[in-house]
Amino acid sequence: MSQYAFSNPALEIHMFAKLVAVSLLTLASGQLLAAECKVTVDSTDQMSFNTKEITIDKSCKQFTVELTHSGNLPKNVMGHNWVLTTEANMQPVATDGMAAGVDKDYLKASDERIIAHTKIIGAGEKDSVTFDVSKLKADEKYSFFCSFPGHISMMKGTVVLK
């Protein structure tokens, strides 16, 4: 008998079960850490976001977008927000929101086409929005954009659910 052999089969099974449990927990926590359920999007005075695509892992229950503004201009001049809609609703939501004004984030109140949005921010400010990923469907195309008048032409991108 070697020095590592167990003399008690029940103890051997118990130790093996513990080893398997710890291994599975380690693997599971590694998988949970693999899904990043948050992104930071920066906006600038040059009417741009620092990304054109955001990928959301299906394993995320909620997803958070933090919007930052690295420019120098105030929100009434060069304000930005981050708005999520279906691709088909992007332009109609932006058009309808223009009349709302900066105080209402250039978004029509209670617009059900809007899945999520931040407020309008200016230089040095930040805001975030967290939404349920269950609101997104795998077979739908999603877009994000800035609803400040005229910005949608340059400040837009896609959201992909994977």
Side-chain angles (χ1 to χ4, degrees):
M1 198 182 267
S2 84
Q3 65 184 19
Y4 300 109
F6 290 99
S7 58
N8 183 339
L11 181 60
E12 185 176 353
I13 291 170
H14 179 75
M15 294 299 287
F16 180 75
K18 272 189 167 179
L19 179 64
V20 169
V22 168
S23 297
L24 289 174
L25 285 173
T26 302
L27 181 63
S29 66
Q31 293 295 336
L32 292 174
L33 293 174
E36 185 65 38
C37 300
K38 179 180 180 180
V39 68
T40 298
V41 176
D42 185 51
S43 57
T44 70
D45 287 343
Q46 288 74 42
M47 285 192 343
S48 65
F49 286 131
N50 67 340
T51 186
K52 296 286 185 194
E53 181 178 283
I54 296 171
T55 301
I56 300 175
D57 193 297
K58 288 179 189 174
S59 69
C60 295
K61 299 261 188 258
Q62 293 190 317
F63 193 82
T64 300
V65 174
E66 181 182 60
L67 179 66
T68 60
H69 191 313
S70 61
N72 297 308
L73 298 171
K75 71 179 184 181
N76 64 325
V77 176
M78 189 56 68
H80 302 305
N81 63 354
W82 185 91
V83 183
L84 174 62
T85 65
T86 62
E87 184 180 278
N89 285 331
M90 180 175 66
Q91 189 61 58
V93 166
T95 301
D96 291 348
M98 281 194 275
V102 71
D103 292 336
K104 294 185 180 165
D105 302 313
Y106 292 107
L107 294 170
K108 186 172 97 176
S110 303
D111 191 332
E112 293 184 11
R113 299 169 296 180
I114 299 170
I115 299 165
H117 72 89
T118 65
K119 66 181 183 180
I120 294 273
I121 61 171
E125 296 179 325
K126 64 183 173 181
D127 191 33
S128 64
V129 62
T130 299
F131 57 93
D132 290 330
V133 175
S134 63
K135 292 181 177 182
L136 306 180
K137 297 179 181 107
D139 59 344
E140 182 71 67
K141 291 183 179 182
Y142 296 95
S143 294
F144 66 89
F145 62 97
C146 174
S147 67
F148 195 99
H151 290 196
I152 192 172
S153 64
M154 296 175 64
M155 298 185 74
K156 59 186 172 186
T158 58
V159 172
V160 179
L161 186 64
K162 286 193 177 180

